[in-house]
Amino acid sequence: MPGLLRGIARTAVIAGTATSVSNRVSRRQAGRWAQQDAEQARPAPAAPPPASLAPEDEMSNKIAQLKELGDLRSQGVLSQSEFEAQKARLLAS
């Protein structure tokens, strides 16, 4: 009888240890998956705002817009007063 009890006790210890290890592994794995899900759920960082134009680029843009306004005035799309108002607005910005 003592040999039988020893075998049962050993089996119980082994089964308990296996269960404990299995549960620990499952919890650790679930934690890792939750962390990965949280990282994926995080919104992507916003794109940086566009860099402001260099002064040379800004000036060339204004010149191009002034030329467009002049073309529109010469085509008769804009009156002289409309052209002057748009030109003042453009140069003020």
Side-chain angles (χ1 to χ4, degrees), residues 9-24:
R10 184 178 313 149
T11 302
V13 168
I14 291 171
T17 303
T19 301
S20 175
V21 169
S22 174
N23 288 340
R24 190 176 319 137

Side-chain angles (χ1 to χ4, degrees), residues 1-9:
M1 193 76 149
L4 182 62
L5 286 177
R6 192 177 316 150
I8 292 172

Side-chain angles (χ1 to χ4, degrees), residues 36-68:
Q36 287 175 352
D37 288 345
E39 288 173 1
Q40 290 174 355
R42 254 188 246 149
S52 62
L53 296 175
E56 301 85 31
D57 291 341
E58 191 173 327
M59 183 58 73
S60 62
N61 280 343
K62 284 185 179 184
I63 291 171
Q65 289 176 344
L66 284 172
K67 286 180 182 177
E68 270 186 55

